[in-house]
Amino acid sequence: MVPTPSVNAGQKRLFRRTRWRLAAWYASILGVISSVGGVAIYRIAVYAHQITLEAELESAALVLHETLEPLLEVPGQLHPDATHFFPSACLAQDDCLQLTPVELQAIELIARDKYYIRLLAPSHKLLAVVGKQPKALQITKSDGKWQYLTDDDGVHYRQISLDLYLPDAQQWGSIQVGRSLQDFETYVANLQWMILIGVPGIVLLLAIASRYLADQAMQPIYQSYGQIQQFTADAAHELRTPLSAIRATVESMLMTPSLDEEEVRTNLRTIRRQDLQLSQLVADLLMLCRMDQQLSMFPKLPKEGDEVDLKDLAQAVTEEFAALALASALHLSTQLQTTSPLKVAGDSGQLHRLISNLVANALRYTPAEGKVTLILDRRADHALVHVQDTGIGIAPEELPRIFDRFYRVKNHQTIEVKGSGLGLSIAQAIAQTHRGKIQVQSELDKGSTFTVWLPMTDS
Ligand code: ADP
């Protein structure tokens, strides 16, 4: 693995710009949502307040209307009994501003000092007034029975007018119930201020939060960018070694004036060896890319494919590596710890590669006279393949990195062993595409056990 390539100034600028752009997008979208939300809340609150206010006025007017109508006899004249409901009723020209406690619940509203009740003759002549009497009321807007009015002091009023009829359907006059909109307008003004200050405040907080969110969103991109850079640098480094060897061999052949046949053959064998190494490396890289794609496209889908019997597979791998084990003076064997079949769905070639990589590693990192054992077991609905060796082991601080692409442990025991650092990455990618995993336990100078977990088809 080559040292992690550093991010240059241009790339840093690009990341910074992207982060700010992302933050600006977040802030604008959230800002628009909260502004629209603020306006909507304002409108709903004003509307609800207005509806309540009008409902109060209307119910008071209706109660008075229902109560008064039976007492009316002569158009435009108030029966003496009506004074029961209008204790302070008086003719328009009298002083009517004094408020009196009243008996009926509806008239109780008047005591709140914001309602007034007026009785009018059919000619619109004012007959009686109860409650606060605004001076010089002018209708500013009329909509059927509802009116907006303004008095001398510029105070706004909302008023409801209902016609009063005699039993013979002759119009007696009308009743008007109104109230000042001062407290309503104060409420609306306060609400406006709250929204005017609150929304920019919220937008500011959202902008700060957006910057943080953009940072968080960029982290994985930043990391995978680093990984791609590292991967590219490592791949280039690994490819360069055999390519340089081939070039050196060819150049030395060209520079030698006359080569005998044996020398040519030796050089060609060197080129073929390097070419094989290159082809293997390219095949490994392609395989990793394909599996990455598979994992990103179908991370949860079961691996489709043949049914593979892990017992047969382990047996085949053991037989293939028997000669190599013998040559390295190692004892290679298989142990079955379950009698039940161990069948998994998947690609037999890939699963073969997975077990082979682990066995090949165990043989390479175990000194002569050591033991390498393939143990097959089952745990609930998973088949387990343990590849156990009595080799050099792996230091605890190296364990988290050994599955990284191109990562190789570098110490005096591994320096002699050739490898690209892709074996375990490939094994892990194969396990993952088969919905499985690989675990490792290791102790320096005692040995390692790699355990593959694969879901079984009969589970
Ligand atoms: P390599 O081509 O270097 O073997 P791998 O990805 O297969 O690459 O392994 C990564 C590293 O993990 C190796 O360099 C080696 O140090 C360590 N390793 C893997 N398997 C074993 C093992 N059975 N015993 C000790 N070390 C191992």
Side-chain angles (χ1 to χ4, degrees):
M1 218 178 199
V2 298
T4 310
S6 57
V7 178
N8 64 37
Q11 290 160 340
K12 270 192 191 145
R13 247 200 324 275
L14 177 73
F15 276 116
R16 228 188 354 256
R17 245 201 338 256
T18 313
R19 207 164 45 216
W20 277 112
R21 212 176 288 164
L22 203 60
W25 271 105
Y26 277 148
S28 335
I29 290 170
L30 294 174
V32 167
I33 292 173
S34 54
S35 307
V36 171
V39 171
I41 289 172
Y42 166 76
R43 292 203 161 210
I44 290 169
V46 170
Y47 182 70
H49 216 74
Q50 190 175 349
I51 292 280
T52 314
L53 182 146
E54 286 177 358
E56 241 176 59
L57 271 179
E58 190 164 26
S59 75
L62 284 173
V63 168
L64 285 169
H65 183 273
E66 297 302 311
T67 317
L68 271 177
E69 239 177 15
L71 302 172
L72 305 174
E73 286 165 359
V74 182
Q77 282 187 26
L78 206 54
H79 188 277
D81 282 358
T83 54
H84 174 68
F85 302 107
F86 288 86
S88 63
C90 54
L91 290 179
Q93 59 269 37
D94 294 345
D95 177 11
C96 300
L97 296 177
Q98 183 200 349
L99 294 172
T100 314
V102 290
E103 296 162 15
L104 288 179
Q105 201 185 356
I107 297 184
E108 204 181 281
L109 293 166
I110 299 158
R112 291 188 196 166
D113 195 26
K114 53 188 174 188
Y115 291 88
Y116 62 82
I117 301 168
R118 307 196 309 169
L119 291 177
L120 289 99
S123 61
H124 296 294
K125 180 174 173 267
L126 188 60
L127 296 174
V129 182
V130 177
K132 187 176 173 171
Q133 165 63 330
K135 284 190 206 101
L137 272 183
Q138 292 280 339
I139 293 181
T140 50
K141 196 172 155 200
S142 179
D143 174 16
K145 62 182 181 181
W146 288 101
Q147 295 90 40
Y148 281 105
L149 304 100
T150 310
D151 71 6
D152 246 5
D153 303 327
V155 178
H156 299 112
Y157 290 82
R158 185 71 167 143
Q159 174 184 286
I160 181 167
S161 304
L162 298 175
D163 289 338
L164 290 162
Y165 291 95
L166 295 173
D168 61 1
Q170 196 185 347
Q171 189 178 355
W172 177 87
S174 59
I175 180 167
Q176 294 180 332
V177 181
R179 57 159 289 171
S180 148
L181 292 177
Q182 239 169 349
D183 55 350
F184 172 71
E185 283 167 354
T186 311
Y187 167 78
V188 170
N190 287 342
L191 202 62
Q192 270 172 357
W193 273 113
M194 270 160 62
I195 303 252
L196 277 176
I197 296 168
V199 168
I202 290 171
V203 170
L204 187 74
L205 287 178
L206 287 175
I208 297 168
S210 301
R211 176 74 171 81
Y212 172 76
L213 285 176
D215 261 358
Q216 295 301 308
M218 287 298 289
Q219 278 315 311
I221 298 169
Y222 199 72
Q223 263 170 18
S224 58
Y225 184 80
Q227 278 168 358
I228 291 169
Q229 269 201 321
Q230 177 76 58
F231 181 77
T232 314
D234 289 335
H237 177 78
E238 289 298 321
L239 290 170
R240 207 169 46 196
T241 315
L243 281 174
S244 311
I246 291 173
R247 195 187 314 124
T249 313
V250 172
E251 273 170 8
S252 83
M253 283 172 80
L254 289 174
M255 275 157 55
T256 313
S258 61
L259 287 167
D260 61 37
E261 196 190 325
E262 190 46 43
E263 278 173 323
V264 172
R265 282 188 179 281
T266 311
N267 283 327
L268 285 176
R269 270 195 290 273
T270 308
I271 292 172
R272 190 179 57 187
R273 207 174 43 247
Q274 299 301 337
D275 174 62
L276 279 176
Q277 198 185 328
L278 261 180
S279 308
Q280 184 60 49
L281 196 63
V282 171
D284 285 353
L285 289 174
L286 278 176
M287 185 169 187
L288 276 171
C289 286
R290 265 202 302 272
M291 279 187 294
D292 275 352
Q293 239 172 356
Q294 202 173 330
L295 278 173
S296 63
M297 280 159 74
F298 314 108
K300 295 263 152 57
L301 288 184
K303 179 86 183 84
E304 303 260 317
D306 312 329
E307 200 174 53
V308 182
D309 188 334
L310 288 182
K311 287 181 181 170
D312 293 348
L313 189 83
Q315 198 54 45
V317 173
T318 313
E319 281 165 17
E320 280 162 34
F321 281 93
L324 183 66
L326 199 66
S328 313
L330 294 167
H331 181 257
L332 174 64
S333 62
T334 306
Q335 266 181 32
L336 291 179
Q337 289 195 339
T338 175
T339 48
S340 48
L342 292 177
K343 293 198 172 149
V344 297
D347 184 313
S348 57
Q350 286 187 7
L351 290 172
H352 183 276
R353 178 84 193 270
L354 160 58
I355 307 297
S356 302
N357 279 8
L358 297 179
V359 173
N361 275 354
L363 293 172
R364 285 191 301 155
Y365 298 106
T366 303
E369 308 306 326
K371 274 209 263 180
V372 173
T373 318
L374 258 101
I375 304 164
L376 295 162
D377 200 354
R378 118 171 240 172
R379 191 76 42 86
D381 52 359
H382 277 76
L384 266 59
V385 183
H386 306 277
V387 180
Q388 198 178 60
D389 65 57
T390 56
I392 59 171
I394 304 161
E397 65 275 12
E398 302 280 5
L399 283 176
R401 303 202 57 192
I402 55 169
F403 291 97
D404 289 355
R405 286 164 195 193
F406 295 108
Y407 188 77
R408 307 201 67 220
V409 177
K410 285 202 181 88
N411 60 34
H412 67 281
Q413 288 169 299
T414 58
I415 202 89
E416 291 297 310
V417 185
K418 286 205 163 51
S420 62
L422 288 177
L424 287 181
S425 327
I426 291 174
Q428 191 181 48
I430 295 173
Q432 284 170 348
T433 53
H434 286 75
R435 293 180 298 139
K437 60 179 179 183
I438 304 182
Q439 286 175 333
V440 57
Q441 275 180 324
S442 189
E443 212 178 317
L444 267 182
D445 300 324
K446 292 238 165 97
S448 315
T449 303
F450 286 80
T451 304
V452 183
W453 293 69
L454 291 168
M456 291 194 301
T457 41
D458 63 1
S459 61

